[in-house]
Structures are given as C-alpha cells and as structure tokens.
Amino acid sequence: MDPKEEHIPVTEQENPRTRRLSELPTLEIVCLMNQEDARVAEAVRHALPDVARAIDRIVERLLAGGKLFYVGTGTSGRLGVLDAAECPPTFGVPPDLVQGIIAGGYEALYRAVEASEDDKEAGVRDIQSRGVSERDAVVGIAASGRTPYTIGAVEHARSIGAFTAAVTCVPGSPITRVAEVPIVAVVGPEVVAGSTRLKAGTAQKMILNMISTVAMIRLGYVKGNRMTNLQPRNTKLRARAERILRAELGLNEEQARTALERAGGDLRTALVMCKTGRTRAEAERALRAVQWRIHEAVRLLGAD
C-alpha cells in the first residue's frame, strides 16, 4: 500500500486489481466486476455474529412496542429507505414500524443531496423529528463509517437510550465507536475508487436484508419459509396468497380463491378464519389484538 493511503478509509483507496479498468474491453470489465463482487459474501460472512446480535436486540425493542429506524446518507440512506419500504407489503406490518431516514429528505432518493451528509446536527434533528425514543432501535448505515450526519443521529439515539447498531465497511471507523453493535463487512477498495454504491452498497443491502427479514421472522410474520402476512395488492401477490392458502390449509385452487374473497382479500384474515372457523370480524379483531401475528390470533380464538 502507498504510505499516503494508510490514513485513507479502505472504501476510498484505489484497487490494485482494477488500475487498468478504462483500458479493458467490456467483457473483461464486467468479469472483473463480477470477481470483485464475489468477495462481498465472504466479507459479510465474517460479520454474521454481529448481525445476529443486532437482530436479537432489535427484536427485543419491537416486541416491546418500539420501532426500527435506518439512518444514512447517499447510497447508504437510499438502501435504508428501500429496505424499510419493502417491509409492509412483504410482512403486513404498519408502515411506521420500520422507517428510513435519509439526509436531505426524500428528495435525496432521486437526486443527489450529498452536502447534507456533513451536517452532524441535521442527523440529530431528523432523529428527533421522527420521535425516536428509548423504546426504539436505530441502525446507522455508512460505508466509510465517518459520515457526520449518520454519526450524529446514532450518537443522539444512544444518548436517549435507544438501541444502536451500525453497518459499515471500514473497521475502527468513528461510527463503530458510537454504536452499541458495529457490523463491519470489509469488502476492500472498490472497482472504481471511492464508488461505494458498488461492493460496499451490495454488502449493506445484504445485511439490511438479513436484519429486516430475520426480525420479521422472529416477530411471527413468516411461517416456515412462507410470507403468510404479505399484502396481496396486485395480481402476482394475489396468486401468491392463494398458493400460500393452498399449501398451509390443503385447499384446492377454487377453495383458496373463495377463502381469500371471504376475507376481503386479506391473507392474514383468511388464514385465521380457515384455521379457527370464525367469522371475518372475529378474525380481524383477534389479529388487531395481537399486532397481526397469525399464530397468536389462532391461539387467542382457542383453536391452536
């Protein structure tokens, strides 16, 4: 390594394997990118114990009535907003259970507002404006681990008693020192120096997938490997809901379609109605009482 690069975060350093990138034919470039991407899963594998620790702590907060907040800037922030946005349709949870906070607000989802990442106090203000409290969990996402906005948000969240984790690609970076559970996937220098939407972004996406998915499994929104709480709001998802009803209850195609219609198109309600023999109104009341956890609603209705 060039001595001048020793103080530069690994995510900003030049990759010696891609120094001739602009001189190569297209196929060689994509092959080289693929080779670099293959390193990402291994980097994430080394971080799995910390991923699991963070998930268990997050689930504790969610079970106690708290919420999960992702905080980041640029690509990191966009990945957090994306993961949060996918939780309601996939797991049938309220849209405020998992929330993404991005520097620069939602305009930053489609237009670069990168200067906002330097404002540490803005991170604090955005956390406060969402009403984050000691009941909640906050995950700061920062490839370099030194983004002032994200560090400010995580520091403030921890100071008020919220659980905090960090997802980064630089060991020993500032955000690892302010979060309770740092998750560090060391993917090395990028194919294009400093372009952390590449390997770092892929690693962060993989980790966020794990956090949200496993948290929802632990909360009871998945049975086996089936998304039993999904929201069937289009043709594809309605077909998937009917397949789940058939697999869970041994129904034929027509019976599954009828069951979903009787439940007003809600898979959760249909499953509880079929498992308990209760009415739609009774099933919905039970589901609301247990935060839409199907197995608990079935138990509440005395049919477990």
Side-chain angles (χ1 to χ4, degrees), residues 28 57-58 94 100 135 204 234 259 297:
E28 287 190 38
R57 296 288 301 281
I58 289 166
R135 301 171 63 190
Q204 290 172 323
N234 59 34

Side-chain angles (χ1 to χ4, degrees), residues 39-76:
R39 301 171 182 270
V40 175
E42 180 67 10
V44 172
R45 185 179 69 81
H46 288 295
L48 292 181
D50 291 324
V51 175
R53 285 175 56 212
I55 292 169
D56 286 340
R57 296 288 301 281
I58 289 166
V59 170
E60 289 174 1
R61 299 300 173 112
L62 297 179
L63 284 172
K67 299 173 182 176
L68 169 60
F69 295 86
Y70 293 130
V71 185
T73 71
T75 297
S76 296

Side-chain angles (χ1 to χ4, degrees), residues 73 103-104 113-123 125 146-150 152:
T73 71
V113 192
E114 312 299 47
S116 58
E117 71 180 44
D118 295 330
D119 191 343
K120 188 173 183 179
E121 291 306 312
R125 290 193 299 272
R146 58 180 184 174
T147 313
Y149 175 93
T150 310

Side-chain angles (χ1 to χ4, degrees), residues 57-62 64-69 96-97 99 127 130-139 157-158 160-165 180:
R57 296 288 301 281
I58 289 166
V59 170
E60 289 174 1
R61 299 300 173 112
L62 297 179
K67 299 173 182 176
L68 169 60
F69 295 86
D96 65 342
L97 184 68
Q99 300 181 37
I127 281 285
R130 293 291 184 97
V132 174
S133 74
E134 72 281 356
R135 301 171 63 190
D136 301 319
V138 173
V139 177
R158 187 171 184 178
I160 62 174
F163 167 70
T164 57
E180 292 175 64

Side-chain angles (χ1 to χ4, degrees), residues 80-263:
V81 172
L82 171 63
D83 197 74
E86 291 177 341
C87 287
T90 306
F91 302 108
V93 296
D96 65 342
L97 184 68
V98 183
Q99 300 181 37
I101 302 174
I102 181 170
Y106 283 106
E107 181 185 358
L109 293 175
Y110 61 89
R111 178 186 299 175
V113 192
E114 312 299 47
S116 58
E117 71 180 44
D118 295 330
D119 191 343
K120 188 173 183 179
E121 291 306 312
V124 176
R125 290 193 299 272
D126 286 352
I127 281 285
Q128 292 173 329
S129 70
R130 293 291 184 97
V132 174
S133 74
E134 72 281 356
R135 301 171 63 190
D136 301 319
V138 173
V139 177
I141 313 164
S144 69
R146 58 180 184 174
T147 313
Y149 175 93
T150 310
I151 291 171
V154 172
E155 278 184 334
H156 176 74
R158 187 171 184 178
S159 74
I160 62 174
F163 167 70
T164 57
V167 179
T168 184
C169 295
V170 179
S173 55
I175 202 166
T176 67
R177 297 190 288 272
V178 301
E180 292 175 64
V181 178
I183 300 168
V184 186
V186 186
V187 297
E190 296 288 359
V191 170
V192 175
S195 183
T196 52
R197 70 186 184 88
L198 300 175
K199 290 191 297 182
T202 300
Q204 290 172 323
K205 180 67 166 69
M206 291 172 71
I207 291 167
L208 296 182
N209 283 347
M210 293 176 186
I211 290 173
S212 59
T213 302
V214 179
M216 296 300 132
I217 292 170
R218 290 284 167 262
L219 290 174
Y221 298 124
V222 173
K223 182 179 180 185
N225 64 355
R226 299 186 185 118
M227 297 184 289
T228 49
N229 283 57
L230 72 84
Q231 297 292 293
R233 291 173 177 159
N234 59 34
T235 301
K236 179 187 74 173
L237 294 178
R238 281 193 295 274
R240 184 182 298 165
E242 290 176 13
R243 288 197 301 272
I244 290 170
L245 283 168
R246 292 168 63 185
E248 284 286 311
L249 304 168
L251 304 179
N252 62 35
E253 188 173 337
E254 182 59 34
Q255 289 170 330
R257 184 177 300 112
T258 300
L260 194 60
E261 289 173 356
R262 289 177 55 231

